[in-house]
Amino acid sequence: MTALRELYQQLIIDHGRNPRHFGELAAADYVKEGYNPLCGDKVKVYLQVNHNVIQQATFKGAGCAISIASASLMSEALIGKTLDEAKILFQQFHNLMTKAHSEKEDSNNANSDLGKLVVLSGVSEFPMRVKCATLAWHTFISAIHHDQKPVSTE
Ligand code: ZN
């Protein structure tokens, strides 16, 4: 478990320092900005969607390593998913970040599509950091629902 945890931490650090899919997307169909006032994380999510399939997902932002790593991992996970699949993935990720540990073991073994996103599971032990990890996801969900309200974790 310790080795696994170290591997998870390395992946978060890697994605925090060298985020994938970072930058504006000129052809974006959905653009949304989110803010986590607790930590000061800001993220802007860009999505290109064709026939209900996410063709491209990028983000821009500034914040702590966890918020950037989570947005990077989210972008990787979203590309190629239908909007419905992406909404299910959001639910699974949200559960992973908010559930107690015993329940989490079960959900990890279930047929979840979380893949690499499980590297963020350790963050659920730190309630302050959970908002850093879920910011990009809340911003994404708000974007595809054409929600006019600004996204804030508070
Ligand atoms: Zn943060």
Side-chain angles (χ1 to χ4, degrees):
M1 189 60 208
T2 312
L4 188 64
R5 180 155 291 196
E6 260 170 42
L7 178 76
Y8 284 4
Q9 274 172 0
Q10 276 168 17
L11 257 164
I12 293 171
I13 291 166
D14 177 35
H15 276 263
R17 282 185 187 155
N18 309 298
R20 321 305 197 260
H21 309 286
F22 191 89
E24 270 176 57
L25 188 61
D29 301 296
Y30 302 88
V31 179
K32 189 78 191 183
E33 226 171 339
Y35 179 48
N36 172 19
L38 269 181
C39 182
D41 308 316
K42 278 183 189 155
V43 68
K44 196 166 183 178
V45 171
Y46 302 82
L47 300 165
Q48 193 187 347
V49 178
N50 197 0
H51 294 103
N52 266 334
V53 177
I54 300 169
Q55 307 289 335
Q56 193 56 260
T58 69
F59 75 101
K60 273 180 75 175
C64 67
I66 290 171
S67 69
I68 299 298
S70 180
S72 171
L73 288 159
M74 180 186 80
S75 301
E76 269 190 349
L78 289 179
I79 295 166
K81 295 264 189 316
T82 67
L83 290 179
D84 284 341
E85 286 168 346
K87 284 178 201 168
I88 293 167
L89 196 60
F90 165 77
Q91 271 311 326
Q92 292 176 337
F93 182 69
H94 200 262
N95 289 345
L96 178 75
M97 299 310 294
T98 51
K99 262 186 191 167
H101 260 273
S102 51
E103 294 172 75
K104 214 158 58 189
E105 297 301 327
D106 295 338
S107 64
N108 278 352
N109 295 334
N111 294 328
S112 97
D113 309 310
L114 286 167
K116 233 193 252 178
L117 296 171
V118 299
V119 303
L120 289 159
S121 60
V123 175
S124 64
E125 289 167 41
F126 309 97
M128 293 277 291
R129 306 330 295 268
V130 167
K131 296 189 172 182
C132 303
T134 54
L135 173 65
W137 285 90
H138 283 295
T139 308
F140 157 71
I141 283 293
S142 174
I144 61 172
H145 286 139
H146 286 295
D147 199 343
Q148 298 301 312
K149 281 181 298 187
V151 178
S152 172
T153 54
E154 283 306 289

